[in-house]
Amino acid sequence: METALTHTNHSLPRLGQPAPAFEAETTHGTLRLEDFHGSWLVLFSHPADFTPVCTTEFVAFAELAPELKKRGVELCGLSIDSTFSHIAWVRNIEQNFGVKIPFPVIADLNKEVAALYGMIMPGESKTETSRCLFVIDPNGILRAMIYYPLSTGRNTQEVLRLIDALQSTDKHGIATPANWKPGDKVIVPPPKTTEDAELRMKAGFETKDWYFSRKAV
Amino acid sequence: MACVNPGGELTESARHILAAMREPVPLSQVAERTGLPLYRIRSAMRELSEAGFAAESAAGWETTSSGRSALERVLTRV
């Protein structure tokens, strides 16, 4: 029989496909993925409550929350800990660091959500989720994934940059170059026919060659 | 979001939500009135409708007579 853990070994979600549906107990009550429909969602896992790197990440995500809110993005954390542990930890963070955790945290004790999203990396730990992060769009489509090891805390500014890039892509139909940040020029998707390639050279974009055009948005 | 605590009483957020639905309203308006995110309102509606305190009609979501009674019980106690 395939267990949740062995399933984890074989199943990873796929970009561009619907994010796996779930219903889970959280610090904000029972939540389903569909409850977030219409908003962007950053679903992220951490290895364990009351651990130092995870604590710095929770503080950083809480500090990022207002900027995400401006962009219509909700946050939801997850680990293989109980709701009671999560509640105690977020209260402890508020007491020790003066930061209130505004987002729900999934208590995934049976590893169901972790298995659906491939959050457990047995080579690192069979009992903890790695630092995984999934960006799910308002239609429930998985748009981006980031996987970090247990030892490395994530860069929340990169998460914000990723959201800005995805939202710019949706709004303007463009792509974003390496190290892009809001305000920088964007990439105009390359033409797919020789006819369009010819036209592209005269289209008025900042064009290096037919396949490499940039513009301001 | 645990709208009813183990003692059978409405939680604070449930009271705010029920008070925001005195007439039929869309969930987005409940979120606006309570200041709670929409995902929490959707979750709460599952619990409140299961408890018989809220119901959906063509005009939107509304607090039921049972919900109004539960709300009044809490308010008179306070």
Side-chain angles (χ1 to χ4, degrees):
Chain A
M1 195 177 103
E2 192 175 56
T3 64
L5 190 56
T6 55
H7 181 66
T8 304
N9 293 339
H10 303 293
S11 174
L12 289 175
R14 295 283 183 268
L15 295 182
Q17 293 186 349
F22 63 79
E23 178 176 289
E25 293 305 313
T26 82
T27 49
H28 291 185
T30 304
L31 292 177
R32 297 176 181 171
L33 176 63
E34 67 198 45
D35 292 335
F36 294 93
H37 183 80
S39 300
W40 289 79
L41 172 64
V42 170
L43 171 67
F44 67 99
S45 60
H46 65 278
D49 297 348
F50 293 101
T51 54
V53 177
C54 299
T55 300
T56 63
E57 286 192 325
F58 258 50
V59 168
F61 278 120
E63 289 172 346
L64 188 71
E67 280 303 315
L68 291 174
K69 188 68 99 182
K70 286 181 198 167
R71 292 157 173 80
V73 183
E74 300 289 355
L75 279 162
C76 184
L78 177 149
S79 75
I80 305 169
D81 290 291
S82 69
T83 308
F84 298 118
S85 173
H86 287 334
I87 291 170
W89 185 40
V90 298
R91 288 170 62 90
N92 182 275
I93 289 173
E94 187 170 1
Q95 285 162 4
N96 287 319
F97 298 90
V99 175
K100 195 172 182 69
I101 303 301
F103 49 83
V105 189
I106 293 174
D108 197 31
L109 279 173
N110 58 12
K111 303 176 186 165
E112 272 183 18
V113 183
L116 286 170
Y117 283 81
M119 292 171 169
I120 298 173
M121 304 291 167
E124 277 206 306
S125 172
K126 290 177 179 158
T127 57
E128 299 163 302
T129 43
S130 292
R131 301 183 195 284
C132 312
L133 184 146
F134 305 87
V135 180
I136 301 167
D137 76 12
N139 295 317
I141 302 297
L142 184 58
R143 297 290 298 275
M145 300 186 285
I146 302 175
Y147 286 76
Y148 270 45
L150 300 177
S151 59
T152 309
R154 284 160 284 202
N155 184 327
T156 55
Q157 287 306 309
E158 170 59 9
V159 176
L160 192 62
R161 192 192 76 89
L162 175 59
I163 293 285
D164 283 335
L166 290 168
Q167 294 187 343
S168 290
T169 292
D170 286 0
K171 187 174 179 186
H172 302 290
I174 51 82
T176 50
N179 300 322
W180 175 88
K181 54 187 187 306
D184 290 352
K185 288 183 176 166
V186 298
I187 301 284
V188 184
K192 291 182 174 173
T193 64
T194 49
E195 184 182 6
D196 285 346
E198 200 61 41
L199 290 172
R200 176 59 58 86
M201 299 302 288
K202 308 168 199 161
F205 300 127
E206 180 187 310
T207 299
K208 279 272 184 212
D209 206 336
W210 65 271
Y211 69 91
F212 194 105
S213 299
R214 294 190 298 186
K215 68 173 184 180
V217 291
Chain B
M1 68 184 302
C3 293
V4 182
N5 68 26
E9 291 184 350
L10 293 173
T11 61
E12 189 180 346
S13 50
R15 295 201 297 270
H16 288 308
I17 291 169
L18 291 176
M21 300 190 302
R22 293 189 188 280
E23 76 287 345
V25 285
L27 293 186
S28 56
Q29 203 165 333
V30 182
E32 204 171 289
R33 286 178 180 180
T34 58
L36 291 167
L38 189 54
Y39 70 83
R40 286 188 68 176
I41 301 298
R42 288 181 177 138
S43 167
M45 286 311 151
R46 280 196 299 276
E47 285 186 45
L48 291 171
S49 57
E50 197 172 308
F53 294 155
E56 186 181 19
S57 67
W61 282 86
E62 188 177 15
T63 303
T64 62
S65 55
S66 299
R68 284 194 292 276
S69 300
L71 195 54
E72 278 160 21
R73 279 199 298 277
V74 176
L75 292 176
T76 50
R77 199 172 307 133
V78 172

